[in-house]
Structure formats: structure tokens, C-alpha cells
Amino acid sequence: MKEFQVVLITGGAGYIGSHAVQEARNYGFEPVTYDNLSMGHRWAIQGEFVKGDLGDRPKLLKAFRKYQPAAVMHFASHTYVGESVTHPQKYYRDNLTNALNLFSVMLERKVSHFILSSTCAVYGDPVQVPIPEDHPRNPVNPYGDSKMMLEKILAWYDRAYGLRSTFLRYFNAAGADASGRLGEAHDPETHLIPLVLDSAMGRRKEITIFGQDYPTPDGTCIRDYIHVTDLAGAHFLALKLMMETGQSDFFNLGTGKGFSVREVITKAEEVTGKRIPVRMGPRRAGDPPELVAQSDKARAALGWQPRHSSLENILKTAWAWHRNYFGGKAKTSRRSTVRSRQ
Ligand code: UFG
């Protein structure tokens, strides 16, 4: 019989975390979700679940004792760049102290493999695009800064305690699981693709383009959109590699190809068959003109292929999810397969 190693997945009820839970068994791992459901959704939970806060050390310890995880993937985090600028305390206090608490439980329980959800926001305004992993880290907002701090803390924990970690620096996560069971449902929603689809559905009057005077071919910002299923898969490939080599590492997760805001809207019109009303707005503070990953390292070292990440597939899967979820059927028919341990 196949042996599955347990991975504790914090934030497993959130957007990216729930896709990781969904993918775990395809890579030979058994997921256990640890989530306080402050941002995550009960309907997104699959398999074993502990409702708990990362600040609750006794509950965390109990979960570690019960499930004996071989590794931890840490998705639970505040992730709004704009909010981090207006409420930095929330980002430093929660993103740092919760992670420190988690590390202390890992050390106590001798769990020495950790995957950090990091971000391209650690690079700040890039001086080189595509952005390589050895690009200087110079975050321009507290969200990116809190993630960079965690990267630095983990490098020291590796040296001192042998806690191995891999930092996965996500570019723009987008799309939805092909089964239609999972997808993006933030509240409030600030991301381009769900807002564009809201406009296509008529839930929103129009999409506002934040700035058209950037130094890009059509004047709008360029981003590297990566399908959430590809993103999720990379976590398990990275974990396997780290378990084999016993080495910490860090990778960009992007496709290496960027699309402008206008290109995303045009493609969304094609995929949805709807006209999407557009309004021009001013630049949004803190948006670099172009964020595109150099993605060769993850491909070469992990054998990772972003197979689901064409812009068309990202939009198709996101649209299928969005229509179902926000069309009203989903919330009532959706059944979770959760086994809750309170
Ligand atoms: N945009 C609009 N109108 C909108 C929403 C977004 O024009 O209504 C534009 C933004 O200005 C940006 C692009 O669409 O140029 C993508 O914006 P998102 O909000 O979807 O994503 P971000 O690039 O801001 O954020 C992502 C991740 C963060 C990460 C950040 C790094 O979601 O976690 O990249 O800059 F930190």
C-alpha cells in the first residue's frame, strides 16, 4: 500500500491553500488543514481539518501531536498589498508572530521541512525584468516586507536549528481548479481577474483600469499570471526536492510571460463572450509597471511545468467557477467533505 506523508497546511481553506490540499494526494502526501476560517471558507475544506488560530499554541501542539506531520506548508496570511500600507501593524503582527509561533511548535515537535508562501512583492520595483531569484530584495510595502522578514528569519533558523525551508515567490495567482469545486472568493475582492469577470457577469458596472501611462506597450501594467493548480503542484515538487537534498532553497513561480491589464480584459471578453465596460482611472499606489518572473530555476530544479497557465485557460477556469459561485447556486448546493477537529 502506498505510504502518504502528512503535510499540515495552514490556510488550507483559502484560495491557494485549498488548491494545495486538492493536489496533495497526486504527489503522495496526505493534507491536514489548519485554518481559523477568518478568511477561508468552510466549503473549500477537504479531508482532515482543525479549526484553529496560529496564535493558539496549545491547539497547534495538539494538532502536531495528533497528525505527526512530516512538513508544513504555510498559506495562512494577510495578503492585501494596499491594506498593508494603511494597516502595517496587522501585517507585521499577524504575519510575523503567527509564523514565529508555528516555527516554535515545529522545533518542539522536530518537524524540519517548511514551505513558505512568499511573493514577488519581496523584489519591490524591479531593476531587471524578467526578475531572477537573485534580484535584490527591496519591498515597497509592508506585505512584501513581512514576507522578506520571514525569509530572513528562516535562513537563520536553518543555520541554527536545521529547520529546512523553501520560499516560493508567487507572481499573480489566478484561475480555478478544473473540477469547478474550488476557486477565488476573496472578501473584499481586489484582484484584476475576478473583478473583470464580475463586470462580464453584470455584478459590477465596469472595470477600472488603474493607470494607462505606464512605460509599457499599451500603457497598462504587465503581470505574470500563474494558474493556481500549477502553483499548488509546485509546492509538493519543492517539498520532495527539499526532503531528498536536505537543502533549503527559493524559487519564483511564474510563467515567464506577462500580459497587460488591457490584454487580460480583451481575452476575458473573448472567453466570456461578453462586452466588458472599462473606465480609466488613476494609477494605484505601489503598482510596479511590470512584474514578470524568470522561471527557469523552478522548471530545471523541480521539473515543474506550468501546464494550466495559458491566459485562456486561466480565464476559462476562473469564468466557470465565477459564474457558478456568484450565480447563486454554489453556496447552497456546495457540500464540504470536512471532518472537523475543534
Ligand atoms: N488592476 C486594475 N484594476 C482593478 C484591479 C487591478 O487595473 O480593478 C490592475 C493592477 O493595477 C495591476 C494588475 O491589475 O496592475 C493586477 O492587479 P492585482 O490586484 O490582480 O494583483 P497585484 O499585481 O496587485 O498583486 C499581486 C499579488 C500580491 C503580490 C503582488 C506583488 O496578488 O499578493 O502581486 O506586487 F504581492
Side-chain angles (χ1 to χ4, degrees):
M1 208 175 76
K2 203 169 167 188
E3 227 358 71
F4 284 94
Q5 285 185 296
V6 172
V7 180
L8 189 87
I9 301 189
T10 77
Y15 173 44
I16 305 175
S18 65
H19 284 80
V21 169
Q22 166 103 340
E23 288 300 303
R25 282 185 152 253
N26 294 335
Y27 294 86
F29 293 97
E30 184 66 43
V32 174
T33 294
Y34 189 93
D35 198 302
N36 65 6
L37 297 183
S38 64
M39 298 293 281
H41 303 281
R42 193 165 276 277
W43 52 254
I45 299 166
Q46 297 184 69
E48 293 290 325
F49 169 56
V50 180
K51 183 169 186 287
D53 210 277
L54 285 167
D56 186 345
R57 202 167 189 280
K59 185 161 267 184
L60 257 181
L61 262 174
K62 200 170 152 198
F64 272 72
R65 283 203 194 94
K66 180 178 171 65
Y67 293 105
Q68 309 275 335
V72 174
M73 293 184 182
H74 180 45
F75 295 90
S77 171
H78 300 302
T79 58
Y80 295 119
V81 171
E83 182 189 58
S84 79
V85 177
T86 47
H87 295 294
Q89 182 182 210
K90 185 171 168 182
Y91 282 72
Y92 290 114
R93 187 193 55 206
D94 294 356
N95 287 359
L96 292 176
T97 56
N98 284 343
L100 288 172
N101 206 31
L102 180 59
F103 302 158
S104 85
V105 172
M106 288 182 69
L107 294 179
E108 182 171 332
R109 297 300 305 161
K110 301 193 171 23
V111 179
S112 56
H113 294 103
F114 183 78
I115 305 279
L116 176 70
S117 293
S118 190
T119 167
C120 61
V122 298
Y123 299 119
D125 289 333
V127 293
Q128 184 187 345
V129 182
I131 307 172
E133 279 87 352
D134 61 1
H135 185 286
R137 286 176 299 177
N138 190 17
V140 292
N141 54 63
Y143 166 64
D145 201 37
S146 71
K147 293 287 185 177
M148 184 186 71
M149 286 178 172
L150 286 178
E151 291 190 356
K152 289 185 171 178
I153 291 165
L154 283 163
W156 289 110
Y157 276 42
D158 182 337
R159 282 175 67 163
Y161 310 124
L163 174 57
R164 304 290 183 243
S165 53
T166 300
F167 318 145
L168 298 178
R169 296 179 185 149
Y170 309 160
F171 282 64
N172 285 55
D177 168 57
S179 73
R181 201 192 164 281
L182 300 170
E184 189 167 11
H186 294 116
D187 186 17
E189 188 53 79
T190 60
H191 294 107
L192 178 67
I193 289 179
L195 293 178
V196 164
L197 298 179
D198 261 358
S199 314
M201 261 182 92
R203 291 184 75 237
R204 181 175 295 269
K205 201 165 95 230
E206 62 205 1
I207 180 78
T208 303
I209 296 183
F210 297 146
Q212 55 178 333
D213 56 351
Y214 284 99
T216 60
D218 67 16
T220 67
C221 285
I222 293 175
R223 294 288 180 272
D224 183 338
Y225 296 90
I226 176 83
H227 195 285
V228 64
T229 301
D230 287 331
L231 208 54
H235 289 70
F236 298 99
L237 296 173
L239 177 56
K240 281 186 172 178
L241 180 69
M242 183 166 54
M243 285 174 154
E244 274 163 32
T245 63
Q247 299 292 319
S248 294
D249 212 335
F250 49 96
F251 298 97
N252 282 340
L253 294 179
T255 64
K257 187 165 166 41
F259 293 94
S260 73
V261 173
R262 273 208 183 278
E263 285 172 322
V264 170
I265 296 170
T266 304
K267 187 54 107 181
E269 288 189 318
E270 204 180 295
V271 164
T272 62
K274 311 271 185 197
R275 202 182 73 78
I276 298 171
V278 165
R279 191 171 76 85
M280 298 315 306
R283 288 184 178 198
R284 186 173 67 178
D287 271 345
E290 185 172 4
L291 293 172
V292 175
Q294 205 175 89
S295 61
D296 329 28
K297 187 179 170 190
R299 290 173 201 259
L302 306 178
W304 178 65
Q305 287 295 336
R307 287 184 297 120
H308 305 276
S309 294
S310 69
L311 184 58
E312 177 160 337
N313 189 55
I314 284 174
L315 287 166
K316 272 188 177 158
T317 54
W319 178 234
W321 156 261
H322 208 84
R323 268 194 310 184
N324 184 35
Y325 185 77
F326 292 104
K329 287 172 279 177
K331 277 183 185 159
T332 46
S333 66
R334 197 169 298 278
R335 270 247 200 58
S336 108
T337 53
V338 54
R339 289 192 293 278
S340 179
R341 309 273 186 245
Q342 304 286 328

